[in-house]
Amino acid sequence: MDWIVSISILFLSTLITLLLFKMGNPWKKSSKDFPPGPRPFPVVGNLHIMDLKKPYQTMLELSKQYGPVFKIQLGLQKIVVLTGYETIKEALVNKADVFAERAPVPIFEDFSNGFGVAFSHGENWRVMRRFMLTTLRDYGMGKRSMESRIAEECSFLVKEFETYKGKPFEFRRIVTAAVSNIIVSILLGKRYDYEDPRFIKLFSLATETAMLMGSPTMQLYNMFPMLGFLFGTPKKVMKNKRELSAFVHENFIQSLSNLDENDTRNFIDSYLVQQQQEKKTQNNGYFHHENLEESVINLFIAGTETVSSTLFWAFTLMMKYPLIQKKVQEEITNIVGYVQPRAEHRIKMPYTDAVVHEVQRYADVIPLNLPHATTVDVNFKGYFIPKDTYVIPLLTSVLRDESQWERPHEFYPEHFLNTEGKFVKRNAFMPFSAGQRLCPGETLGKTEIFMFFTSLLQRFILQPAPGLSKEDLDMNRAVGFTTPPKTSILCALPRF
């Protein structure tokens, strides 16, 4: 497959280079005030210098040469990259309206058709996001009722860990199942058994799709969508999308047949009620089936992948740093005792809170961030950026900003502690991004991470498999849109 792609790109490069020779070079027409960047080659742009497995790493290196605002070109697409806390805060928070659009990336457009929330645009995005935030709050996000759901799921996960009796096991599947059950409880008002084959298939589709979305071949497709027939990856992603859509459609039909406007049970019910109200006003603008399908899929994939990947890092890091794990467990014992940990305990547990925050910072599970686009022409940091410019606010550059963190490349919980051992907030803590495109499930995600983490460390000592030392743990990041660690086996020894 690699040689087919290479020959195709070479052929296309030669063809377009000849056309450029006749028509003149369009890259010369760029504004002189456009951000600086490496010189692009015809057709391929800066592809030759990009690490397609870790494009965020290449961008970090380029920022050292060109500064916090620079341009790259991937294929024919010019992209402005923003790096560092101050620059990204200025763009996403201080100029939120200007940088609020979503860039039209080919696979995102194929996947969503512009519907839902994550990849949608303009007024459709605003309406769907507003509805999603309101509905998530209605179903308990940030409330004790949601904490009770999470606590119940924590107890199921603890029991599952107990079945292995301290022997090594693959923990990622069951942790992903537990996390998925939280978002499923909101979407459908139910939970699944961890061994339910249909449920396993469902969250496996989410995990695989997130991995494929960030793969090298997908990036090539996004640069050269006309060569899509050569790549199996976008075809696989769209196959997964059809299977996810079939699941949503089946549950949508069930909800529709049992709908009671005065007793909504889940997210789908609330959407259908809103849809009927919109029809009564003869305003059939946004609450149609396509937006329902995409919104549910957005919530399911995002709600599964980001939290589960962060927990994978949390457990791997606790095995890597057993003294930190022991200190967390001592604080849990002293503050919580043997009752179920709740979100309300966080304020009394500064060290544990600091560790959880540092896990999220260090894990950096979406290093590239979702791409933005400008809504108007803007002068930014001394450069002119036209309307509809593709913009990457590089999230990893904030979470690893050397001007903001004492030890940005190390796991160091003291980042979030003062000299008295009290928890301190850090402005550069942006694992869920910032501004108008901030993850709608931020509050839910933070609560899940804290409660799953403390519930398991309350009951178990996490260790590498026999024969492995903490130095043997694979701390490399997986290749994908989310970047969990490659470690997948642990031993959970009962504490009591």
Side-chain angles (χ1 to χ4, degrees):
M1 179 59 72
D2 287 344
W3 69 268
I4 295 176
V5 172
S6 299
I7 290 174
S8 301
I9 292 175
L10 179 61
F11 172 77
L12 195 59
S13 299
T14 304
L15 179 62
I16 296 181
T17 301
L18 292 173
L19 290 173
L20 290 174
F21 219 47
K22 291 184 178 182
M23 299 169 58
N25 192 340
W27 290 281
K28 290 183 179 179
K29 298 176 183 178
S30 298
S31 165
K32 64 180 181 180
D33 296 325
F34 203 67
R39 185 180 181 85
F41 285 172
V43 182
V44 297
N46 300 122
L47 176 59
H48 61 294
I49 64 171
M50 297 299 296
D51 180 349
L52 293 183
K53 291 184 177 180
K54 297 180 179 179
Y56 49 90
Q57 197 63 48
T58 304
M59 293 176 193
L60 283 174
E61 292 300 316
L62 289 173
S63 71
K64 296 176 182 177
Q65 181 177 354
Y66 295 103
V69 183
F70 65 93
K71 79 170 192 305
I72 57 173
Q73 190 167 303
L74 299 179
L76 302 180
Q77 179 67 64
K78 287 183 180 179
I79 299 171
V80 171
V81 181
L82 309 179
T83 62
Y85 166 68
E86 294 296 342
T87 299
I88 290 177
K89 177 191 173 188
E90 176 68 18
L92 299 189
V93 179
N94 299 348
K95 295 184 181 294
D97 290 339
V98 174
F99 290 90
E101 189 47 274
R102 181 68 75 215
V105 179
I107 190 58
F108 293 169
E109 297 299 298
D110 296 346
F111 194 86
S112 71
N113 289 314
F115 299 123
V117 175
F119 309 129
S120 62
H121 313 280
E123 192 61 22
N124 188 92
W125 162 68
R126 291 184 183 88
V127 172
M128 288 298 103
R129 179 181 172 83
R130 191 160 50 242
F131 172 78
M132 184 177 288
L133 283 168
T134 300
T135 307
L136 287 174
R137 283 192 289 266
D138 288 345
Y139 287 101
M141 187 173 73
K143 301 177 182 177
R144 288 192 64 85
S145 58
M146 178 52 65
E147 283 186 41
S148 296
R149 291 190 192 186
I150 299 170
E152 180 185 28
E153 196 61 46
C154 286
S155 67
F156 283 114
L157 186 58
V158 164
K159 289 177 182 177
E160 187 69 21
F161 270 48
E162 286 175 339
T163 64
Y164 294 94
K165 299 179 179 179
K167 296 179 181 178
F169 66 98
E170 200 288 318
F171 67 92
R172 290 160 64 129
R173 181 181 62 81
I174 58 175
V175 171
T176 303
V179 171
S180 290
N181 262 331
I182 302 302
I183 197 64
V184 166
S185 72
I186 295 172
L187 296 173
L188 304 177
K190 62 185 292 186
R191 74 172 298 276
Y192 287 92
D193 184 85
Y194 297 160
E195 301 304 320
D196 186 315
R198 195 153 170 264
F199 185 44
I200 293 172
K201 176 66 174 178
L202 188 63
F203 64 72
S204 297
L205 287 171
T207 297
E208 183 180 51
T209 299
M211 179 192 72
L212 294 175
M213 283 281 197
S215 65
T217 50
M218 187 62 79
Q219 293 178 66
L220 286 173
Y221 170 72
N222 287 332
M223 294 179 219
F224 308 104
M226 72 289 289
L227 298 178
F229 64 93
L230 293 172
F231 305 129
T233 306
K235 296 174 185 175
K236 178 60 176 172
V237 166
M238 294 310 295
K239 179 177 181 293
N240 289 356
K241 165 65 187 303
R242 288 191 292 274
E243 292 189 47
L244 288 166
S245 296
F247 177 85
V248 174
H249 184 72
E250 178 182 330
N251 284 278
F252 150 73
I253 294 296
Q254 290 178 3
S255 293
L256 189 59
S257 61
N258 300 315
L259 185 63
D260 181 351
E261 291 190 28
N262 299 313
D263 182 24
T264 54
R265 300 154 297 179
N266 51 56
F267 181 92
I268 293 179
D269 276 7
S270 294
Y271 188 98
L272 294 174
V273 168
Q274 187 67 34
Q275 185 183 68
Q276 293 187 0
Q277 291 174 355
E278 190 177 69
K279 287 179 179 178
K280 290 176 184 176
T281 61
Q282 297 182 335
N283 179 25
N284 300 324
Y286 297 103
F287 288 87
H288 43 69
H289 299 339
E290 290 86 352
N291 261 329
L292 171 61
E293 178 182 300
E294 287 304 321
S295 296
V296 170
I297 292 173
N298 289 170
L299 279 170
F300 181 75
I301 294 179
T304 296
E305 279 304 297
T306 54
V307 174
S308 61
S309 293
T310 302
L311 288 171
F312 299 161
W313 275 111
F315 302 147
T316 302
L317 288 164
M318 291 304 95
M319 291 190 284
K320 182 77 172 176
Y321 300 101
L323 294 180
I324 293 176
Q325 178 181 182
K326 183 178 180 181
K327 196 169 179 180
V328 168
Q329 289 168 329
E330 288 173 350
E331 188 173 66
I332 293 172
T333 299
N334 291 336
I335 302 301
V336 181
Y338 301 101
V339 300
Q340 169 71 55
R342 304 289 292 235
E344 65 192 38
H345 292 122
R346 185 198 297 260
I347 196 171
K348 300 177 183 178
M349 302 167 66
Y351 187 77
T352 302
D353 201 8
V355 169
V356 170
H357 277 74
E358 180 66 357
V359 165
Q360 291 177 264
R361 185 200 69 82
Y362 184 88
D364 186 19
V365 296
I366 309 180
L368 203 59
N369 207 342
L370 281 170
H372 289 233
T374 47
T375 57
V376 294
D377 293 350
V378 60
N379 289 297
F380 183 76
K381 297 287 185 180
Y383 301 109
F384 174 74
I385 304 176
K387 179 184 178 183
D388 297 326
T389 298
Y390 188 133
V391 177
I392 294 179
L394 193 63
L395 206 53
T396 191
S397 72
V398 178
L399 299 176
R400 295 229 184 332
D401 190 329
E402 294 180 359
S403 72
Q404 299 293 318
W405 307 98
E406 293 78 10
R407 301 183 186 179
H409 306 294
E410 299 177 26
F411 181 69
Y412 185 63
E414 285 74 11
H415 282 140
F416 294 92
L417 294 169
N418 64 17
T419 54
E420 298 174 351
K422 294 181 179 179
F423 180 81
V424 291
K425 294 182 178 180
R426 299 293 293 265
N427 292 331
F429 180 70
M430 291 184 180
F432 295 92
S433 194
Q436 293 189 11
R437 291 276 180 172
L438 175 72
C439 174
E442 177 188 22
T443 301
L444 176 62
K446 286 181 177 179
T447 304
E448 286 184 76
I449 292 165
F450 179 81
M451 290 184 64
F452 278 118
F453 179 74
T454 53
S455 294
L456 287 168
L457 287 194
Q458 179 190 49
R459 302 294 295 272
F460 304 102
I461 298 170
L462 306 183
Q463 294 181 350
L468 294 178
S469 69
K470 61 183 182 179
E471 287 76 21
D472 296 324
L473 293 170
D474 191 344
M475 304 298 286
N476 290 310
R477 295 174 178 274
V479 175
F481 185 72
T482 54
T483 56
K486 291 187 177 180
T487 295
S488 60
I489 305 293
L490 60 70
C491 294
L493 280 63
R495 291 186 66 214
F496 51 82

